[in-house]
Amino acid sequence: MARPKQEVRRISARTELCGIVLHPAGHTRSPAMHNAAFAEAGIDAVYLAFDVHPDQLEDALVAARALGVRQLAVSLPHKEAVLAHLDEVETCARAIGAVNTVTLRDGRLVGTNTDWIGAVHALERNVELAGARVIVLGAGGTARALVYGLVERGALVTVLNRTPERAQVLADDLGAVGAGPLRDLAQTPHEVLVNTTSVGLRTDDSPVPAADLLAESLVMDVVYDPEETRLLRDARTRGASTITGKWMLVYQAAEQFRDWTGREAPLDVMASAFDEAGGS
Ligand code: NAP
């Protein structure tokens, strides 16, 4: 049976290489989003996914530098370990303790973190963050990026986590105003609620009871597989507004694109590519 014709990208000696390192490979929508953005913006580059075992992360970075890979997104489980192998780490990534983007600049590997700005941009489309009372559920790596960004924008952040001791450490470290266990949600006034726990990732669970959600709040879930999580469905049923994790992912990818190309990203094209790519 004849296969449908596909558009053939012209790859030449001048074509630049970008990519993402992760392990295990699984699904990632980053190649789809970035290749779509390159095509839209007329940038002669390709973006690939590389399954890099943790034992080979250093080798991968040495190779990236030698081959002139222009930008590498860094996904799980490498976001913290990669810091040790870089020439320079930007202040935000140093404070968060995680790098999700390595860009080659004048032969130097420069690490930054675009997760925080992705989350902030997704929220700022809907709410003024300065002075807003924001609850962050979770105290892992993504929570650190969120709390950094929210505090940077002047929000009053409370961190609630299954293990409250971790929430307290994070709050003290990054300047949140409060910390506690997840059950504190019911008695903590807020305008914005962000889930950064992994609860809801490929399951139909929510980190908090539906009854604890406020009708007049804005709820964002960083989980994007599935895009419509149980938490977001519960929030809408309660009358709250919602933002899906897709938007954090798209905005952080847009920031990576801007970081390397110096140009604004074609956001709608990247969002459509996310939709078409499926998987996680
Ligand atoms: P992590 O560092 O492993 O942290 C996981 C967090 O989830 C911890 O706070 C943990 O609580 C909590 N948790 C796990 N299982 C739980 C349960 N059954 N009940 C209550 N809390 C539970 O993970 P991460 O790297 O921050 O990633 C978290 C999520 O963010 C993932 O789903 C990831 O896909 C997503 N993410 C999305 C984007 C985006 O652009 N949209 C970007 C980055 C990450 P304890 O401290 O008590 O263990």
Side-chain angles (χ1 to χ4, degrees), residues 138-142 161-163 166 196-199 222 224 245 248-249:
T142 310
N161 193 41
R162 175 176 65 178
T163 311
R166 288 189 79 199
T196 73
T197 76
S198 46
V199 180
V222 306
Y224 55 83
M248 174 177 166
L249 190 75

Side-chain angles (χ1 to χ4, degrees), residues 40-111:
E40 176 71 13
I43 290 169
D44 186 8
V46 291
Y47 190 108
L48 302 176
F50 300 105
D51 182 359
V52 175
H53 188 275
D55 292 346
Q56 291 188 305
L57 180 62
E58 185 171 6
D59 289 349
L61 288 159
V62 169
R65 189 207 304 271
L67 295 173
V69 176
R70 299 304 302 269
Q71 189 179 65
L72 276 181
V74 181
S75 191
L76 295 178
H78 304 307
K79 288 185 177 187
E80 284 105 34
V82 76
L83 270 111
H85 308 300
L86 303 176
D87 300 312
E88 192 180 323
V89 177
E90 291 187 351
T91 310
C92 61
R94 187 74 69 194
I96 292 164
V99 159
N100 80 331
T101 309
V102 177
T103 305
L104 191 66
R105 293 211 183 97
D106 302 323
R108 290 167 59 76
L109 297 173
V110 181

Side-chain angles (χ1 to χ4, degrees), residues 152-173:
E152 150 84 16
R153 287 297 203 261
L156 305 169
V157 182
T158 300
V159 185
L160 304 181
N161 193 41
R162 175 176 65 178
T163 311
E165 296 78 15
R166 288 189 79 199
Q168 190 64 58
V169 170
L170 197 168
D172 292 345
D173 205 17

Side-chain angles (χ1 to χ4, degrees), residues 176-228:
V177 296
L182 292 173
R183 65 173 177 279
D184 281 8
L185 175 60
Q187 66 257 19
T188 308
H190 60 276
E191 288 81 39
V192 181
L193 174 70
V194 183
N195 174 45
T196 73
T197 76
S198 46
V199 180
L201 178 64
R202 299 184 200 111
T203 69
D204 196 35
D205 300 322
S206 171
V208 288
D212 290 355
L213 301 171
L214 300 180
E216 59 279 12
S217 64
L218 173 67
V219 179
M220 182 166 92
D221 203 333
V222 306
V223 172
Y224 55 83
D225 181 20
E227 194 180 346
E228 292 298 328

